Amino acid sequence: MTQQDTFFILAPVAEGRAEELESLLHSMTLKPGLADPENALVPFGRFDQLHVARFFLVEANTWRDIEAYGQEPQPYPMQLAFLGDVDGDRQTFLKELMVHCADGLMEVFSHCEGVDQGTDLLRWMEDHNVRESANYINTRGRTVRQVHEEAALAAALHDELANVVNAQGSADPFEIHERLVDYVRRERASGVLHLTPPARTTLRERLANWIDLISLPLILLMISPLLLLALPFFVIRLRMHERSDPEILPRPADARIADLGRYEDHDVTNPFSAFGDVKPGPYRRMIATAALYLVNYSARHIFGRGYLTRVQTIHFARWVFLDGKRRVIFCSNYDGAVESYMDDFVNKVAWGLNLVFSNGVGYPSTRFLIKGGAEQEDKFKRYLRNRQLPTQVWYKAYPGLTARDMARNSEIRKGLEKRPNGAKALRNWLSKI
């Protein structure tokens, strides 16, 4: 399985440079928020290992909400975030980024504090890289190259299937499959189609993954007597917080919703960026930390095969603690419109939203951490929209393809390389083409 990594470079914007920076970011786009893959500053399309990337300005729109908890509000300076998901490792990608677009990156990051022409930008980016607390990949190990190759294969087979059926005059699925296999063999031999074999997982990688998989259950088993003793006190304390935590859910202004909408729906996939405060005190920080650890563990070992619980529309997502775990950034790449995205989660996995997001300031009231909250649909959507940020520049390496499209293309390839067992399974495979 090909190694995959992330980068998240975050730095404060220099005083008085925000407006100029936003204008510069706009120059990198074809439409508001949609990156030009060949823009002059950071030509994303030249990097064949880059899945998705974005630049956006991080502003704390709701930082005064903390007053409702009797806390002194602490402003958060505007930050520039540059993040993405890559095949391979972060360090190799950042080095390649510097080889091809050092001047463009310098022009962008020169708007940040501490960056000038004498700055070692590669080291600076590494120093300002923030590791996520949880990361989700729709299908682990599926590379950018694989996505493009399988999309080309599916398109070629779609056209060839029509030719085969018309020429053959029969609907025998076994004969059709054989002809399609012969067609792909010829196209590969002539260099028209490419199907790169997947990288093999080494014994060391399998062993490390297996150890990581069993370590958490073993630890929980060993400390289970202590957990059982602590459970009543945890629940009592939790209910005390849930009954007293205020809901802060103003209706977002129409102008704000319209502004966010300018950056959405330019492709079948959209980016989502949100920033908010964690409820004050060590208790809530502890729960948020544990919840994100479980999300990350689940994403590595349970999900990552095309779905996050019952949701199948997310390509990549991450949660990042900032400011001493007092604040969190959430970023995702999802198929469809933002309303359907929120509906998907509310209707299918509201308990999961509550487990993580209920530790945020102003969240709709929950019961026992997983009930209520996002089940109150209108309140949840207000909460999320109030914390959503415009994504000024967003790039996707395979526009027009949804997560389900890519899953279907992979199934087509598998059925080509190993014929489905039985006529019914074969007809089902042909229907995907």
Side-chain angles (χ1 to χ4, degrees):
M1 180 181 296
T2 299
Q3 177 189 354
Q4 293 173 307
D5 205 351
T6 65
F7 62 92
F8 191 125
I9 298 158
L10 188 71
V13 177
E15 188 174 353
R17 304 293 302 280
E19 188 173 337
E20 181 184 343
L21 174 57
E22 190 162 5
S23 177
L24 183 66
L25 294 178
H26 180 71
S27 73
M28 300 168 64
T29 63
L30 298 170
K31 299 177 181 179
L34 182 65
D36 177 356
E38 296 299 327
N39 74 83
L41 296 175
V42 186
F44 302 105
R46 299 183 188 179
F47 302 95
D48 58 10
Q49 71 274 55
L50 179 64
H51 287 263
V52 288
R54 73 183 75 183
F55 283 98
F56 70 102
L57 296 174
V58 180
E59 297 183 81
N61 296 323
T62 58
W63 61 278
R64 290 191 180 277
D65 290 351
I66 202 76
E67 288 181 310
Y69 294 78
Q71 300 284 316
E72 184 72 24
Q74 297 188 24
Y76 189 77
M78 179 181 287
Q79 310 269 327
L80 172 64
F82 175 38
L83 62 146
D85 293 81
V86 298
D87 297 324
D89 63 275
R90 181 187 74 250
Q91 292 85 356
T92 301
F93 174 75
L94 292 181
K95 288 176 183 177
E96 186 174 345
L97 201 61
M98 288 298 298
V99 169
H100 294 284
C101 47
D103 292 341
L105 287 169
M106 179 61 75
E107 188 170 350
V108 172
F109 287 122
S110 66
H111 295 78
C112 296
E113 293 179 2
V115 179
D116 54 36
Q117 289 303 318
T119 301
D120 181 340
L121 197 56
L122 179 59
R123 175 173 291 183
W124 181 89
M125 287 193 294
E126 285 285 9
D127 290 343
H128 287 78
N129 184 72
V130 184
R131 295 302 298 182
E132 68 274 4
S133 295
N135 185 54
Y136 168 75
I137 301 172
N138 179 277
T139 301
R140 289 186 172 271
R142 183 168 61 195
T143 65
V144 176
R145 174 180 292 182
Q146 180 182 341
V147 171
H148 287 306
E149 289 180 350
E150 291 178 351
L153 172 68
L157 285 176
H158 175 80
D159 294 338
E160 183 62 17
L161 178 60
N163 296 333
V164 169
V165 172
N166 291 335
Q168 188 174 314
S170 71
D172 178 47
F174 296 97
E175 188 173 346
I176 292 173
H177 183 272
E178 185 176 339
R179 288 178 177 270
L180 292 179
V181 169
D182 288 340
Y183 164 75
V184 171
R185 188 181 295 116
R186 294 194 304 271
E187 294 296 285
R188 292 183 69 181
S190 63
V192 175
L193 287 176
H194 302 275
L195 291 175
T196 305
R200 295 178 64 87
T201 305
T202 66
L203 177 60
R204 182 178 180 179
E205 289 170 335
R206 290 197 297 269
L207 184 60
N209 184 70
W210 184 79
I211 291 172
D212 187 52
L213 171 64
I214 66 170
S215 60
L216 179 62
L218 284 177
I219 291 171
L220 291 177
L221 181 62
M222 286 188 293
I223 66 172
S224 56
L226 293 176
L227 292 177
L228 289 173
L229 287 174
L231 183 60
F233 302 97
F234 171 82
V235 171
I236 292 171
R237 182 74 180 273
L238 175 66
R239 289 301 293 148
M240 290 172 61
H241 278 275
E242 289 179 329
R243 290 192 177 103
S244 61
D245 286 341
E247 293 181 338
I248 308 170
L249 302 163
R251 186 175 297 279
D254 291 341
R256 173 174 171 75
I257 296 298
D259 183 56
L260 290 169
R262 292 173 55 234
Y263 299 90
E264 299 170 351
D265 299 329
H266 299 309
D267 186 71
V268 293
T269 307
N270 276 303
F272 187 87
S273 308
F275 181 57
D277 291 80
V278 177
K279 290 174 179 176
Y283 183 78
R284 280 296 187 176
R285 281 198 296 273
M286 176 193 69
I287 295 177
T289 301
L292 290 183
Y293 182 87
L294 290 174
V295 168
N296 198 44
Y297 176 88
S298 300
R300 288 198 309 273
H301 299 296
I302 301 173
F303 308 116
R305 296 176 179 83
Y307 57 91
L308 179 60
T309 61
R310 294 167 57 202
V311 178
Q312 297 176 295
T313 55
I314 299 178
H315 295 253
F316 298 90
R318 74 179 75 178
W319 294 256
V320 183
F321 277 122
L322 297 176
D323 196 19
K325 294 192 175 182
R326 289 186 297 182
R327 294 179 166 103
V328 174
I329 282 182
F330 171 69
C331 297
S332 65
N333 306 266
Y334 65 93
D335 295 327
V338 67
E339 283 294 321
S340 64
Y341 174 56
M342 292 190 289
D343 288 340
D344 220 12
F345 272 97
V346 168
N347 296 329
K348 295 178 179 179
V349 64
W351 65 269
L353 292 172
N354 293 340
L355 181 65
V356 177
F357 290 101
S358 67
N359 299 293
V361 168
Y363 192 81
S365 60
T366 57
R367 302 185 307 279
F368 302 104
L369 202 59
I370 59 174
K371 296 297 293 179
E375 294 173 356
Q376 305 168 76
E377 182 177 340
D378 183 60
K379 288 183 176 182
F380 171 74
K381 289 181 177 180
R382 289 191 201 180
Y383 174 84
L384 219 54
R385 279 297 212 177
N386 282 325
R387 285 151 184 82
Q388 184 180 354
L389 300 173
T391 301
Q392 281 81 12
V393 181
W394 177 71
Y395 167 78
K396 177 187 171 190
Y398 22 86
L401 288 177
T402 66
R404 289 178 179 175
D405 290 335
M406 289 185 283
R408 183 179 65 249
N409 293 344
S410 292
E411 289 170 4
I412 290 171
R413 176 180 179 172
K414 290 176 184 176
L416 185 78
E417 295 174 339
K418 182 179 180 181
R419 191 180 73 185
N421 188 23
K424 183 177 180 180
L426 200 50
R427 289 191 182 95
N428 183 56
W429 175 77
L430 288 170
S431 71
K432 298 179 189 299
I433 300 175

